[in-house]
Amino acid sequence: MRAKFAVQSTAKCQSPPIAPYWIPFFAHLFLFLFDLNSLLTNIVNRIGNPHPIRIPLGTEEFIFVTGPRNLKLVWKNSQSLTAKAGHLIALRTILDTPERSMGIYRADTSGIGKEPLLRSNVAPERRVWHLTHQPIVDCLSGTPLTIFTDNFQNSMIKRIEQYSFDDQWTEMPDLFTFMCTELMHVQLELLCGTFFLEHNPGFVNDFWQFHHALIHLRKGLPRWMISQSCKARSVCLDAVEKWHEALQTHDPDVLIDTGKFQDARFGNEIMRSRRRIIAKIGGLDKQTAASADLGMLWALNANPAIATSWLLLEIVRDPSLHPTIHREIATSSRSLPQSDSHSTIHGGLSSGQQFVVPLLSNCQLLQSMYTETLRLRTATLMIHSPEFSDFNFNQWLFPKDKLILISSHTAHMDRESWHGSGEKGAGIPVEEFCAERFLTWKGNTESRSNTSSSQKPPGSEKDGARGVERDRSHLEQASFTMAGHAGKWIPYGGGPGICPGRHFSKNLMLLTSALMFSAFEIELNVEKGWKPKMDMRYYGLGVLPPQGKVPFKIRRRQTKK
């Protein structure tokens, strides 16, 4: 009752209300550690959305911020509310960055932008956040992004050609394990070069063990309580450090900037440039360099691979979408110069053809499915804090250094935001995947999630279960739109700190799904009516994997004569 009263108060500069709890001192600590999804969902349901709420956790406390207007206000005030606190937690608890280096990260108050924050006086050479962030921005945008994307597609095509699948069905135990393993192999060679796997042949499996260990590592528990998780992390850190040492032994000049963006043996400039920078910053040792590179490998591989697997799964499990998907991707390829051509992907791209990313990104249904995949399957926690002083947030006062928590999952599951009033709209609950959620039809200006029952697409009334025409003929008239979703769709965060890899992640998801769908027929070996459930143990880490395995069968598509 006190929390609701505080929310309704109009008094200025007051402390946000506390989420009610029953356990003295510990308050919400145990739910925060072991069932964060339930904790945040219950708080929103009990107190309302969108109001800042204080969540006590023993000796610590978060302020939970929800609602599109509030989120846009957080990102608008990036000069005062920075994401540094969240990055420090990740460096310490997840990547095991040595304490002797943590002081350098803590001392940098200048932010990640090219221009330092106004109230910061950090020397340019000590701006560790900006210096290590800028190469990511530079290498994953513009011409470098195009080169990286083309290299990824070429490598993926070659790998698909090498698969042993023929025109007979091959049963496989798990779609996600298969896709994540394959994508990791391709990405590792692009990012680190062939030299990496030559010295660490088992790293792909070790990496996914590390990803699983994050369930426990991110809680910040004592090492003796999570010894196996710490071991999984150490294996990966040792592998990265071994790679660094081998590179230096093989070629002492390997870190010299040659202007070459991609090197088959030694990897991508995004990794090499960050290592050059870390080597120049005094106080950041080889263990810190290994932690930084492991963090980069995790960021560029784990979430994109799992998200791609989800997108492919959603395409595969609804055959009524296949004619439209085939039509869209068939118009998204081009012929390559003779010297650049590859052999045919059986039943998919013709010899010497390649998908054109801008055309693929303009596929209306595929775009909607990509966007819906990240809406439904992402549960990222973003942590900010007032960097320099107390901050007045509307009527609330956020104390200096107080941790501010934002959940993409809470934003994406907000029924009022996504359905206007209750569950009118298209009649499809926010908890379910809707391939057309971000499509609009001629005469409508809003996406399907915002349309009223009288504005549903042609034929949608024929299927009472999902409100969708199963022959999907209406998709021919559809257009993709993000209108009305500002501050609601936030899988990559927002503001100046928005994920710099978001463009490559999208390219990877669309390209991989198009290549696999073109080359193979894939069917799920699941019971009729099966719906995938997400593994909420990974809540806060990004894209959630499914609970259990997703068995499937696969065979090459046959070229029509």
Side-chain angles (χ1 to χ4, degrees):
M1 291 296 293
R2 285 183 298 184
K4 288 190 175 182
F5 178 79
V7 163
Q8 296 167 1
S9 172
T10 58
K12 297 294 184 180
C13 298
Q14 62 176 319
S15 180
I18 295 179
Y21 59 90
W22 300 103
I23 306 176
F25 178 72
F26 294 105
H28 299 286
L29 178 61
F30 299 116
L31 268 181
F32 186 86
L33 291 176
F34 302 109
D35 194 357
L36 184 54
N37 176 46
S38 295
L39 170 63
L40 299 184
T41 300
N42 291 339
I43 287 173
V44 170
N45 290 341
R46 292 178 63 181
I47 299 179
N49 187 10
H51 305 289
I53 301 293
R54 288 155 56 203
I55 305 177
L57 310 168
T59 60
E60 302 292 335
E61 185 179 80
F62 283 89
I63 298 177
F64 183 38
V65 175
T66 61
R69 295 178 66 181
N70 286 336
L71 301 190
K72 285 187 279 188
L73 185 59
V74 169
W75 292 319
K76 180 181 178 180
N77 287 280
S78 58
Q79 283 282 337
S80 300
L81 304 176
T82 72
K84 173 181 163 183
H87 296 153
L88 287 173
I89 292 173
L91 287 173
R92 186 179 70 253
T93 62
I94 291 178
L95 297 173
D96 199 26
T97 302
E99 183 58 34
R100 56 186 175 273
S101 297
M102 288 297 296
I104 297 173
Y105 287 104
R106 294 191 188 99
D108 181 9
T109 59
S110 66
I112 61 174
K114 290 184 177 181
E115 296 297 325
L117 297 179
L118 294 178
R119 287 185 275 182
S120 174
N121 58 1
V122 176
E125 68 274 11
R126 305 300 286 177
R127 295 192 61 206
V128 61
W129 295 113
H130 164 68
L131 291 173
T132 55
H133 178 79
Q134 193 59 42
I136 309 172
V137 176
D138 294 340
C139 292
L140 295 180
S141 60
T143 300
L145 173 63
T146 301
I147 296 172
F148 195 16
T149 301
D150 288 344
N151 289 339
F152 170 80
Q153 181 171 194
N154 292 336
S155 296
M156 196 67 198
I157 289 175
K158 290 177 182 178
R159 194 158 185 90
I160 288 175
E161 290 171 350
Q162 295 169 1
Y163 292 159
S164 60
F165 306 125
D166 54 24
D167 60 352
Q168 300 299 310
W169 288 113
T170 299
E171 296 194 353
M172 302 287 287
D174 183 32
L175 178 65
F176 281 73
T177 298
F178 172 73
M179 289 303 302
C180 288
T181 299
E182 294 304 306
L183 284 170
M184 187 69 187
H185 274 286
V186 171
Q187 283 278 77
L188 265 181
E189 288 199 0
L190 288 176
L191 291 168
C192 303
T194 57
F195 204 73
F196 186 97
L197 285 176
E198 289 173 9
H199 287 79
N200 300 289
F203 183 81
V204 171
N205 289 332
D206 294 336
F207 175 87
W208 290 109
Q209 288 296 318
F210 164 67
H211 180 70
H212 177 72
L214 297 187
I215 294 173
H216 307 293
L217 292 173
R218 57 90 176 265
K219 297 173 183 177
L221 297 171
R223 289 176 182 267
W224 62 267
M225 294 182 66
I226 52 173
S227 58
Q228 290 302 310
S229 296
C230 290
K231 181 179 179 181
R233 175 178 60 195
S234 295
V235 169
C236 288
L237 286 172
D238 290 346
V240 175
E241 193 171 331
K242 177 182 176 183
W243 170 55
H244 288 171
E245 293 173 351
L247 281 175
Q248 200 66 33
T249 301
H250 179 82
D251 184 359
D253 297 328
V254 70
L255 293 183
I256 293 178
D257 187 1
T258 61
K260 190 176 182 181
F261 182 74
Q262 188 74 43
D263 187 293
R265 286 280 283 164
F266 305 126
N268 189 275
E269 175 64 10
I270 194 172
M271 304 297 289
R272 301 198 306 272
S273 60
R274 279 169 52 89
R275 284 195 56 218
R276 286 197 300 270
I277 289 166
I278 289 175
K280 291 179 180 178
I281 299 176
L284 300 184
D285 55 19
K286 62 180 183 178
Q287 287 84 11
T288 303
S291 296
D293 272 3
L294 179 59
M296 177 57 60
L297 290 175
W298 180 81
L300 291 176
N301 286 282
N303 284 318
I306 299 170
T308 300
S309 303
W310 275 117
L311 178 56
L312 184 60
L313 180 146
E314 296 297 351
I315 292 173
V316 167
R317 80 183 184 111
D318 193 343
S320 67
L321 298 173
H322 294 183
T324 303
I325 297 292
H326 273 301
R327 176 181 56 80
E328 288 189 338
I329 66 176
T331 60
S332 303
S333 62
R334 65 168 180 176
S335 298
L336 293 174
Q338 187 71 26
S339 59
D340 295 335
S341 64
H342 301 283
S343 59
T344 183
I345 299 179
H346 301 287
L349 290 174
S350 301
S351 179
Q353 283 193 314
Q354 186 183 64
F355 282 118
V356 181
V357 173
L359 295 178
L360 204 57
S361 296
N362 198 40
C363 293
Q364 305 303 298
L365 176 59
L366 196 58
Q367 276 195 93
S368 180
M369 295 185 71
Y370 154 81
T371 309
E372 174 71 347
T373 295
L374 293 185
R375 182 201 68 82
L376 182 61
R377 309 301 182 187
T378 303
T380 302
L381 289 182
M382 293 149 272
I383 300 176
H384 296 69
S385 68
E387 179 78 23
F388 301 101
S389 62
D390 295 350
F391 182 77
N392 292 326
F393 188 87
N394 292 328
Q395 73 197 69
W396 313 105
L397 180 67
F398 290 177
K400 180 180 180 297
D401 296 329
K402 181 67 69 175
L403 299 180
I404 301 167
L405 187 69
I406 295 172
S407 167
S408 66
H409 188 259
T410 300
H412 296 165
M413 293 294 110
D414 180 14
R415 291 180 177 85
E416 184 174 350
S417 291
W418 287 94
H419 287 288
S421 175
E423 296 209 357
K424 292 181 180 179
I428 300 176
V430 293
E431 297 83 5
E432 293 185 17
F433 184 89
C434 175
E436 301 114 312
R437 195 178 298 276
F438 295 88
L439 295 180
T440 185
W441 280 260
K442 189 174 182 180
N444 295 342
T445 58
E446 294 183 316
S447 64
R448 184 166 186 189
S449 62
N450 290 332
T451 57
S452 68
S453 57
S454 64
Q455 294 174 313
K456 292 178 185 178
S460 62
E461 70 280 355
K462 294 186 179 181
D463 188 334
R466 295 192 56 162
V468 192
E469 170 73 15
R470 297 314 296 179
D471 65 16
R472 308 288 183 146
S473 59
H474 60 279
L475 293 176
E476 302 285 338
Q477 311 164 39
S479 298
F480 172 78
T481 180
M482 286 293 290
H485 297 310
K488 301 176 185 178
W489 189 81
I490 56 169
Y492 297 115
I498 192 170
C499 175
R502 63 194 183 280
H503 302 302
F504 178 68
S505 178
K506 180 178 181 179
N507 292 350
L508 184 149
M509 290 177 66
L510 297 182
L511 276 172
T512 304
S513 299
L515 287 168
M516 291 296 294
F517 188 69
S518 296
F520 303 106
E521 292 180 68
I522 302 175
E523 293 183 6
L524 304 181
N525 283 335
V526 295
E527 296 180 358
K528 186 177 181 180
W530 172 86
K531 291 184 179 181
K533 296 181 179 180
M534 295 175 288
D535 191 339
M536 288 297 175
R537 294 178 301 166
Y538 292 85
Y539 191 103
L541 294 172
V543 184
L544 303 168
Q547 292 181 13
K549 296 182 178 180
V550 182
F552 69 104
K553 58 183 180 180
I554 183 172
R555 67 181 178 185
R556 288 197 182 271
R557 291 192 186 276
Q558 296 303 295
T559 305
K560 294 182 179 180
K561 298 181 180 180

